[in-house]
Amino acid sequence: MHDAGYTAPNNKLNNKSVNNPSAKGRVTLRRHAIRLLAMALIALLTVACNRDEPTPVPTTAAGVAEVIAANGTPAPDAATSSKATPEAPATPTPTPTPLAGRIVLWHSWAQAEGDALAALLAQLQAAEPNVQVETLFVAPNDLVSSYAEAVAAGSGPDLIIAPNWWLGDLVNANALLNLETLAPADLEALYWPATIDALRYQGALYGIPLTYSLVALYVNTALVPPEGIPATTDALVEAASANPTAGIGLYATFFHTYWGLPAYGAQLLDDQGVVILDQNNGAAEYLMWLNRLQSTPGSYVDLDYGMLLDRFKKGEFAYLVDGPWALPELRTVLGDTLTVSPLPAGPAGPAQPWIYSDGFFINPATTSEQQTLALHVALLLSDDQAGTTLATTGGLLPSARNANLSSTPLLQGFAAQALTAAPMPTTPEMAEVWTYGGDMIIKALSDAAVPPAIVSETTALINEANNK
């Protein structure tokens, strides 16, 4: 399954659904018991098909190693690839010409995503008839624990499709092959750089990017004033103040609002994982802007995602900050009046929303020959032709740089936003960032304290929780 509104990178038992971005119920931005939270998120994602709300923003969840230690869900009983004893890392051999062999792929893609994957495999079969790819759908709440346990036992699939927020735990569980010296040298010419960086952990590359998600600005063109779509945050508030139907809906989670922090000059983390939001006035000024926006008639900064979506569909305001998971529903209601545009810039520069990626990851327990074949299959299933299919068949944003999006103009709008996006961090420190960062937004909106004090407190709380 692909992605929903947003799921945090350290939510290792989470999964996503591009076709089903909503989830009933909502996990608040409070720190729950790790395993109970993971179970709650799994349940929320299981019922996401109703699309009432986006995937909730979690705090943290059990890591892969913890799942294995707790004897989590056993690996699915399915055909697995040829295995080598994982006593030492194997060095993949040169690519066979032509490609030939059998690859086992595990995934959790369903509905439109599943259709897109089937189309990719058909293209691969036509291009490489001697390559056989056997797929196994694994339920989203079982995929990570099943895969990690299988690898630990020296078995499992050759390839897995997974989101990058599992990266740290899977690397620490020795469940991913390091691709830093194995991937093509021209990788950045093939894929959007931020989608590649999203698959790096501690400087090393562990995946081949397939799709990505981020937020941008949905626009109801029927409500845009004559002066056009506001290019800056100040212009947006001014336009909304003059005409409430030129307002905006903004889901008050840390993921949906992060884009404004760098736009106001704030930096979240330094190279050591220390939160430095209090190093300048940027974060405080952005919180002031959010508070001002919330106080503007016709604009909403709120944790009620369903309300925001409904009001936008009813034409109560012109703009909505959200991701591609909402696209099918909004397009059905708004038709040709719906477009997607980059988010407004702040005083320090362009909006920089976070990108997170789905990628192909290779099993380190396979033979070197299987690793070589798996790498080339991953590259073929994520190339420009594959990217075009992902967009047209699955409604997905392809990581391939030169995928043809001409028939999917709304996705082109998200691709334009991706030019200023940044890879979402996957470091361990982020577990506390999701908790306290979300609280920071809510405190600012509720006037719990003046913004500079909120920023200082948030910075101290995160660093203290991370022993920084």
Side-chain angles (χ1 to χ4, degrees):
M1 309 242 309
H2 195 65
D3 170 281
Y6 162 72
T7 341
N10 286 308
N11 227 1
K12 303 307 185 291
L13 294 183
N14 242 339
N15 205 32
K16 19 181 226 169
S17 171
V18 136
N19 308 305
N20 309 310
S22 56
K24 286 186 175 179
R26 183 176 294 105
V27 176
T28 62
L29 301 176
R30 298 293 183 270
R31 303 180 63 191
H32 299 289
I34 287 177
R35 202 167 301 279
L36 288 176
L37 176 59
M39 293 172 63
L41 290 169
I42 290 167
L44 285 166
L45 288 164
T46 301
V47 299
C49 304
N50 295 318
R51 303 177 55 86
D52 294 327
E53 301 174 15
T55 302
V57 179
T59 56
T60 183
V64 170
E66 206 171 45
V67 171
I68 296 173
N71 297 316
T73 306
D77 183 15
T80 54
S81 55
S82 303
K83 306 302 167 196
T85 302
E87 296 177 353
T91 302
T93 57
T95 311
T97 306
L99 291 178
R102 170 177 161 272
I103 290 293
V104 174
L105 168 67
W106 286 4
H107 67 94
S108 291
W109 281 23
Q111 300 183 27
E113 280 187 328
D115 294 340
L117 180 58
L120 296 188
L121 294 174
Q123 291 175 1
L124 177 66
Q125 183 63 39
E128 299 290 346
N130 294 321
V131 175
Q132 178 186 8
V133 179
E134 298 179 7
T135 64
L136 178 68
F137 175 87
V138 183
N141 53 321
D142 293 339
L143 182 64
V144 167
S145 58
S146 297
Y147 171 73
E149 289 172 349
V151 174
S155 61
D158 301 288
L159 280 174
I160 184 173
I161 297 176
N164 71 312
W165 57 73
W166 290 338
L167 193 54
D169 274 7
L170 287 173
V171 170
N172 292 330
N174 298 314
L176 298 180
L177 182 68
N178 187 327
L179 303 180
E180 189 63 28
T181 62
L182 305 177
D186 61 345
L187 211 60
E188 291 199 357
L190 303 176
Y191 307 100
W192 293 112
T195 68
I196 302 171
D197 290 339
L199 301 181
R200 295 185 186 278
Y201 186 73
Q202 296 180 340
L205 179 70
Y206 286 92
I208 299 298
L210 180 60
T211 63
Y212 67 92
S213 287
L214 76 171
V215 297
L217 192 69
Y218 280 107
V219 180
N220 183 341
T221 57
L223 301 178
V224 175
E227 56 269 23
I229 300 170
T232 67
T233 53
D234 284 342
L236 190 151
V237 173
E238 290 170 5
S241 298
N243 180 3
T245 60
I248 186 172
L250 180 53
Y251 189 32
T253 69
F254 195 61
F255 178 76
H256 278 73
T257 59
Y258 170 80
W259 57 271
L261 288 171
Y264 274 73
Q267 182 178 344
L268 177 61
L269 298 167
D270 67 11
D271 293 339
Q272 306 303 314
V274 176
V275 173
I276 54 173
L277 285 173
D278 60 349
Q279 295 301 297
N280 60 34
N281 294 326
E285 291 175 357
Y286 178 53
L287 293 183
M288 293 177 194
W289 179 82
L290 288 175
N291 195 297
R292 179 185 171 200
L293 180 65
Q294 184 196 37
S295 301
T296 302
S299 292
Y300 302 86
V301 186
D302 201 280
L303 277 174
D304 190 340
Y305 178 83
M307 177 273 289
L308 296 172
L309 204 64
D310 288 343
R311 287 182 181 273
F312 182 66
K313 290 188 294 185
K314 291 175 181 176
E316 295 187 20
F317 47 77
Y319 312 107
L320 176 72
V321 177
D322 210 3
W325 46 85
L327 213 166
E329 182 175 355
L330 295 178
R331 182 172 49 203
T332 298
V333 175
L334 297 177
D336 293 339
T337 64
L338 182 69
T339 62
V340 178
S341 178
L343 294 158
Q352 296 182 41
W354 271 327
I355 272 182
Y356 58 99
S357 298
D358 265 22
F360 286 107
F361 299 95
I362 298 176
N363 187 340
T366 61
T367 65
S368 60
E369 292 80 7
Q370 286 297 111
Q371 292 171 2
T372 298
L373 181 59
L375 175 59
H376 285 83
V377 166
L379 292 168
L380 288 171
L381 291 176
S382 59
D383 65 10
D384 294 337
Q385 181 186 12
T388 302
T389 300
L390 288 168
T392 56
T393 303
L396 306 174
L397 285 165
S399 296
R401 265 183 180 270
N402 299 311
N404 186 351
L405 302 182
S406 60
S407 64
T408 53
L410 294 174
L411 291 183
Q412 285 181 312
F414 284 103
Q417 181 66 80
L419 294 175
T420 64
M424 187 170 66
T426 58
T427 58
E429 291 82 10
M430 287 297 294
E432 302 297 341
V433 169
W434 297 119
T435 300
Y436 293 110
D439 286 346
M440 177 180 74
I441 301 300
I442 302 307
K443 288 176 181 177
L445 296 174
S446 60
D447 293 318
V450 295
I454 295 172
V455 172
S456 295
E457 179 189 38
T458 300
T459 301
L461 287 170
I462 298 173
N463 287 332
E464 180 180 357
N466 285 326
N467 296 316
K468 298 291 185 180

